[in-house]
């Protein structure tokens, strides 16, 4: 079949869903609609597996969901299995398909007693015998069948996560190759539709031929949101550094350059390059541009501050306990007011947490205190202990530590690299900057205590609604000098202990 969709499929889409198909089709849309239309029932030889790599925001999932609705009117496929990384993700896709079927006026299957049969968040059955089921890789199991039908179309959408470890990837591939693909019918069609977000992800392996399954796959070249993309950092009307697209051509009118520029500044440049451009960095390089960490003598009014900790309980050796105090300025810039680190015993750590928390509470009307919770029962016990220890303070959050350290720090790194994170001048600046300079995405650096605490403080502040009144912090002889003098006293006491 030609790589251009026939008028039938595109006319059907424009006729039934004009509110969705509001922009001219890009080549990738025509190509995939041609594939949907090429599907025919009852064959003994399945079509070649299809791997489509589209940018986030490029109508990827919308096209797959509408394609399922189109097939329901032709019945060239009877049973669509919609697979995502999690069951919750897959359920959402199936619910979107249900909305399209309802808009088309497709009747639900009913039992002999007239009640709706199989129209749930994770499963659809129409009166004409068209079925859709949601399937999450987080709960894969053998045996997928509805009545006499096995899946004759399997769509993999949103199966990769940038947080996937090598062990998680192996688990997902095992589920796909052992529990999902073998359940398909003899003429089962398989479609992977994903943006390229992980250098070693499943879709990346399918694209660059590392994958040892679906060997006859058809893989068109990955389609980015912008070809020839070049950006530069400029200062906006509010005096904040932002990204501006200075060169490039959008690949779809529904995601033009002005939208892409907004996405870059909303998501962060590295996230956009990963999610929309398929520029997946290997987990090896440095990613804090510490030359953009400006040291200042003062900062404007602060809407909110967060005191965040990265904890260790080994005295005199091993990891450091770090505390970072960060504020969100009324200018939208993030200011690191203080960072301290030391190798203390567990009792001393608890004392410092309470001491620092009191200092922040007494100085700032709007504050948050954030501590990490290690996995396992010991971490839960420690979190419960800290909860009781800090019961007198408001806005205390003790959150589980999940995912790779670099992933937790992506948003923070984006603001550092834009020059929107500044440091109040102090003796701690050099060690703080040096740790960021050495921090590597593959975690081969020696220390990351201050980076972890700073990333947690940033993540806490990023979601805060800007307050209507502000706290003022000045450098000279006000807060920071007092903090530093007390820190020196406490470290001397720790040494005496």
């Amino acid at each position: 079949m030609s790589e251009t969709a026939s008028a039938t499929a595109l006319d059907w889409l424009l006729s039934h869903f004009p509110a969705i198909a509001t922009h001219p089709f890009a080549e990738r849309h025509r190509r995939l609609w041609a594939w949907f239309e090429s599907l025919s029932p009852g064959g003994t030889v399945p079509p070649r597996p299809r791997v489509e790599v589209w940018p986030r925001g490029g109508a990827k999932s919308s096209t797959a969901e509408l394609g399922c609705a189109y097939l329901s009117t032709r019945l060239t496929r009877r049973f669509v299995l919609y697979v995502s990384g999690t069951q919750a993700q897959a359920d959402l896709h199936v619910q979107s398909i249900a909305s399209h079927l309802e808009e088309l006026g497709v009747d639900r299957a009913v039992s002999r007693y007239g009640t709706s049969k199989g129209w749930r968040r994770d499963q659809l059955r129409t009166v004409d015998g068209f079925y859709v089921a949601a399937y999450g890789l987080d709960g894969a199991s053998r045996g997928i069948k509805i009545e006499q039908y096995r899946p004759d179309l399997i769509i993999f959408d949103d199966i990769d996560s940038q947080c996937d470890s090598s062990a998680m990837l192996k688990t997902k591939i095992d589920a796909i190759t052992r529990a999902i693909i073998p359940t398909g019918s003899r003429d089962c069609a398989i479609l992977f539709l994903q943006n390229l977000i992980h250098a070693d992800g499943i879709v990346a392996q399918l694209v660059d031929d590392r994958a040892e399954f679906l060997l006859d796959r058809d893989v068109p070249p990955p389609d980015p949101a912008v070809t020839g993309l070049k950006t530069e950092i400029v200062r906006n009307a509010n005096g904040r550094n932002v990204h501006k697209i200075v060169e490039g051509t959008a690949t779809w009118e529904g995601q033009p350059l002005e939208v892409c520029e907004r996405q870059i500044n909303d998501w962060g440049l590295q996230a956009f390059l990963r999610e929309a451009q398929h520029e997946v960095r290997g987990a090896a390089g440095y990613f804090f541009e510490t030359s953009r960490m400006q040291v200042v003598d003062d900062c404007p009014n602060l809407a909110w501050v967060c005191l965040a900790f990265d904890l260790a309980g080994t005295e005199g050796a091993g990891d450091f306990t770090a505390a970072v105090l960060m504020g969100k300025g009324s200018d939208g810039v993030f200011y690191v007011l203080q960072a301290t680190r030391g190798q203390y015993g567990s009792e001393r750590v608890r004392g410092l947490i309470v001491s620092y928390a009191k200092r922040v509470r007494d100085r700032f009307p709007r504050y948050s205190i954030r501590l990490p919770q290690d996995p396992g029962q010991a971490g839960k016990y420690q979190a419960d202990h800290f909860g009781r220890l800090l019961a007198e303070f408001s806005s205390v959050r003790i959150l589980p530590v999940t995912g790779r350290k670099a992933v937790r720090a992506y948003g923070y790194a984006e603001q550092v690299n834009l020059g929107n994170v500044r440091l109040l001048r102090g003796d701690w600046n050099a060690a703080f900057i040096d740790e960021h300079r050495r921090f590597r995405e593959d975690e081969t650096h020696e220390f990351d205590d201050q980076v972890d605490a700073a990333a947690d403080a940033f993540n806490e502040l990023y979601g805060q609604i800007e307050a209507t009144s502000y706290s003022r912090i000045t450098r000279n002889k006000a807060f920071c000098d007092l903090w530093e003098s007390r820190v020196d006293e406490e470290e001397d006491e720790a040494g005496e202990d």
Side-chain angles (χ1 to χ4, degrees):
M1 168 119 187
S2 163
E3 284 294 315
T4 301
S6 73
T8 303
L10 299 184
D11 286 349
W12 175 88
L13 180 61
L14 292 169
S15 174
H16 291 92
F17 296 97
I20 297 177
T22 56
H23 299 283
F25 299 101
E27 177 57 30
R28 62 176 176 265
H29 303 124
R30 294 188 176 92
R31 185 175 66 218
L32 186 53
W33 278 103
W35 185 84
F36 278 123
E37 190 162 354
S38 71
L39 299 177
S40 57
T44 58
V45 178
R48 293 179 66 191
R50 191 83 174 184
V51 180
E52 293 275 352
V53 180
W54 292 13
R56 183 178 181 184
K60 168 178 63 70
S61 294
S62 297
T63 301
E65 293 158 3
L66 287 165
C68 292
Y70 171 69
L71 294 175
S72 77
T73 65
R74 304 183 74 205
L75 295 180
T76 52
R77 282 296 182 268
R78 288 282 189 170
F79 181 2
V80 179
L81 186 66
Y82 210 111
V83 182
S84 295
T86 68
Q87 188 65 45
Q89 288 174 309
D91 289 351
L92 288 175
H93 290 303
V94 169
Q95 289 165 40
S96 294
I97 296 169
S99 297
H100 297 328
L101 296 182
E102 289 165 355
E103 190 169 345
L104 289 170
V106 173
D107 291 327
R108 306 178 182 188
V110 295
S111 70
R112 61 185 297 182
Y113 304 106
T115 59
S116 180
K117 181 171 64 173
W119 198 270
R120 308 191 301 265
R121 62 181 176 81
D122 62 342
Q123 188 181 110
L124 311 174
R125 300 190 193 189
T126 74
V127 70
D128 292 328
F130 180 76
Y131 305 141
V132 184
Y135 205 71
L137 291 177
D138 56 349
S141 61
R142 295 183 180 273
I144 304 166
K145 190 176 179 182
I146 296 181
E147 295 180 352
Q148 74 269 33
Y149 296 109
R150 288 185 175 274
D152 52 10
L153 171 58
I154 303 176
I155 297 177
F156 295 91
D157 184 5
D158 293 328
I159 59 170
D160 280 326
S161 168
Q162 68 184 57
C163 300
D164 285 344
S165 64
S166 57
M168 179 58 71
L169 287 169
K170 183 180 184 304
T171 298
K172 287 184 175 182
I173 291 173
D174 284 346
I176 290 169
T177 57
R178 297 180 183 181
I180 298 176
I181 292 177
T183 65
S185 63
R186 287 191 304 173
D187 63 340
C188 184
I190 295 175
L191 171 65
F192 281 80
L193 191 58
Q194 172 88 47
N195 48 336
L196 202 63
I197 62 173
H198 193 305
D200 296 313
I202 296 167
V203 175
Q205 294 185 42
L206 288 166
V207 169
D208 64 19
D209 287 336
R210 283 178 290 165
E212 298 179 353
F213 60 98
L214 300 179
L215 299 182
D216 190 37
R217 56 189 176 270
D218 187 9
V219 188
D223 203 4
V226 181
T227 57
L229 175 67
K230 290 186 179 179
T231 65
E232 63 182 28
I233 296 174
V234 300
R235 194 173 294 274
N236 67 10
N238 298 321
R240 192 170 188 197
N241 292 340
V242 296
H243 295 287
K244 180 177 178 59
I245 295 178
V246 294
E247 288 186 32
T249 302
T251 59
W252 179 42
E253 290 185 27
Q255 195 176 15
L257 290 183
E258 57 266 28
V259 170
C260 292
E261 185 172 283
R262 185 168 63 248
Q263 290 170 337
I264 288 172
N265 287 299
D266 287 345
W267 305 351
L269 178 60
Q270 292 303 326
F272 183 84
L273 293 176
R274 185 187 295 266
E275 298 274 355
Q277 295 295 103
H278 317 304
E279 296 181 16
V280 185
R281 294 186 298 170
Y286 304 106
F287 69 102
F288 283 107
E289 296 181 20
T290 53
S291 62
R292 298 189 181 277
M293 278 184 162
Q294 183 181 356
V295 177
V296 297
D297 290 312
D298 196 3
C299 68
N301 294 332
L302 297 175
W304 207 283
V305 299
C306 177
L307 174 64
F309 293 89
D310 187 69
L311 302 177
T314 304
E315 187 169 1
D319 289 340
F320 287 82
T321 289
V324 171
L325 180 65
M326 185 182 294
K328 184 179 181 181
S330 55
D331 57 355
V333 174
F334 295 85
Y335 291 86
V336 183
L337 309 178
Q338 273 293 330
T340 60
R341 67 198 296 254
Q343 295 171 320
Y344 308 125
S346 57
E347 288 296 326
R348 188 61 187 156
V349 167
R350 286 191 285 271
L352 290 175
I353 289 173
V354 175
S355 174
Y356 289 5
K358 287 180 178 178
R359 206 171 304 166
V360 171
R361 179 192 61 189
D362 294 345
R363 183 64 181 84
F364 299 99
R366 290 177 172 84
Y367 68 90
S368 298
I369 299 170
R370 179 160 167 167
L371 295 109
Q373 176 186 319
D374 290 333
Q377 190 58 41
K380 294 178 181 178
Y381 173 81
Q382 184 187 54
D384 182 64
H385 177 76
F386 285 143
R388 295 194 303 271
L389 193 68
L390 298 172
E392 65 180 283
F393 300 92
S394 61
S395 193
V396 176
R397 295 221 299 164
I398 305 172
L399 299 179
V401 177
T402 58
R404 293 167 49 229
K405 292 175 179 289
V407 173
R408 290 164 56 196
Y410 275 139
Y412 171 53
E414 172 67 18
Q415 294 305 312
V416 169
N417 297 344
L418 274 169
N420 290 326
V421 176
R422 298 170 190 171
L423 316 181
L424 281 189
R425 193 179 307 279
D427 293 341
W428 54 272
N429 293 162
F432 187 82
I433 293 172
D434 186 61
E435 184 175 303
H436 284 69
R437 182 179 64 82
R438 295 174 182 271
F439 185 90
R440 293 175 65 93
E441 194 171 358
D442 61 1
E443 301 186 18
T444 57
H445 47 263
E446 186 176 5
F447 297 112
D448 51 31
D449 317 275
Q450 294 176 101
V451 171
D452 287 347
D456 285 347
F458 170 84
N459 292 335
E460 186 74 20
L461 290 170
Y462 193 77
Q464 292 287 359
I465 299 173
E466 190 163 314
T468 56
S469 61
Y470 304 92
S471 303
R472 181 68 180 175
I473 179 74
T474 56
R475 164 65 187 149
N476 294 323
K477 306 302 181 185
F479 179 78
C480 293
D481 287 345
L482 179 60
W483 181 292
E484 288 175 356
S485 67
R486 289 184 178 176
V487 167
D488 290 340
E489 293 171 3
E490 288 159 352
E491 289 181 346
D492 289 341
E493 293 172 3
E496 293 172 2
D497 293 344

